[in-house]
Amino acid sequence: DTSSPSLLVRCFSEFVGVFVLMLTGGLNGVMLSPAGAWSTAASLMCMIYSLGSVSGAHLNPAVTLAVLASGREKIVVKDSICYIICQSLAAAAAGLLASSYGAAVTPGGRHMPAPGHAPNFSELQAGMAECAFTAVLAYVVLSVATTKAPIAWRTKQNFFFGLAIASAVTAGGVAIGAVSGGLLNPAVGLGLSIEAGSFGNCGIFAAWELLGGLLAALVFRMTHCSEYESTATPLKV
């Protein structure tokens, strides 16, 4: 489709969106904001509405993996790799910037903790929580942002997708924030690790979150069979 933005433009779109998302989350952490989940979700919603028509506004490697695994030629492997690289670079850059504000808060500097689990919970419990709510987030993205409009709709335009996706982030952030931080995003985990100066459980959490993206694609294939009627055979159970 010659009218579609180039890969370079789409990758830059992903970079901008993740940078804003990560910077918002990082500064909420540095400032000890009591409404970090709401603020971060609000920034995500703004970026989705701003950039959705450019790159699809995945803004999350787990979401990109879910879109790729869901098929329907929504994204190809090469583009998904480029997306994930740009998302990771953006989170790293935003993490570095957010860390520079720590000294302004306290003399010794204040930084977000590296990805990890709360003392009262095990690493397995934290990982499963990240997996579950990342799957919820990715499933919502697949369901509201990548599907055909129902025939009964009077318009093919979808105005609520950004709110639905941001609400999934709020739900996860509030529900498991005290367990694992409620990151739901491997790129954000990388950014927080760079901000903290320690990688902690970043790689383990990223693996759980990517697994959540794959689970979301699996469930989507089973619940949205009509999406595959003309392009592929739906998964059967």
Side-chain angles (χ1 to χ4, degrees):
D1 184 0
T2 55
S3 63
S4 298
S6 68
L7 177 59
L8 180 61
V9 171
R10 285 182 281 130
C11 285
F12 182 65
S13 167
E14 289 292 309
F15 184 96
V16 170
V18 174
F19 185 87
V20 172
L21 172 65
M22 177 61 222
L23 184 61
T24 304
L27 290 177
N28 271 294
V30 168
M31 305 301 174
L32 298 180
S33 168
W38 294 93
S39 174
T40 304
S43 72
L44 175 64
M45 180 172 63
C46 292
M47 291 299 99
I48 289 172
Y49 282 123
S50 299
L51 303 170
S53 61
V54 181
S55 65
H58 297 183
L59 313 184
N60 185 332
V63 168
T64 297
L65 180 60
V67 174
L68 177 66
S70 73
R72 302 167 298 148
E73 299 181 350
K74 295 295 182 179
I75 192 170
V76 298
V77 174
K78 179 193 72 172
D79 291 5
S80 66
I81 292 173
C82 292
Y83 271 33
I84 291 172
I85 290 173
C86 288
Q87 291 159 356
S88 300
L89 290 174
L96 283 173
L97 179 58
S99 68
S100 69
Y101 285 81
V105 179
T106 58
R110 177 187 293 159
H111 302 281
M112 284 287 287
H117 56 88
N120 295 335
F121 301 96
S122 68
E123 185 178 286
L124 177 61
Q125 287 176 313
M128 291 176 64
E130 286 291 326
C131 178
F133 279 94
T134 302
V136 170
L137 169 61
Y139 180 74
V140 170
V141 172
L142 292 174
S143 300
V144 304
T146 72
T147 54
K148 301 185 289 281
I151 298 175
W153 283 15
R154 293 185 177 181
T155 173
K156 291 185 177 181
Q157 290 181 297
N158 180 342
F159 299 104
F160 63 82
F161 64 97
L163 178 60
I165 296 167
S167 296
V169 170
T170 303
V174 173
I176 65 171
V179 178
S180 62
L183 307 182
L184 317 183
N185 187 328
V188 169
L190 174 63
L192 289 177
S193 296
I194 290 175
E195 183 179 350
S198 170
F199 283 87
N201 289 342
C202 178
I204 295 172
F205 275 18
W208 279 108
E209 290 154 358
L210 292 172
L211 176 60
L214 291 176
L215 290 175
L218 176 64
V219 174
F220 179 82
R221 283 175 174 268
M222 292 189 290
T223 59
H224 290 69
C225 300
S226 61
E227 286 289 310
Y228 299 90
E229 287 178 351
S230 60
T231 58
T233 302
L235 228 61
K236 297 185 185 225
V237 279

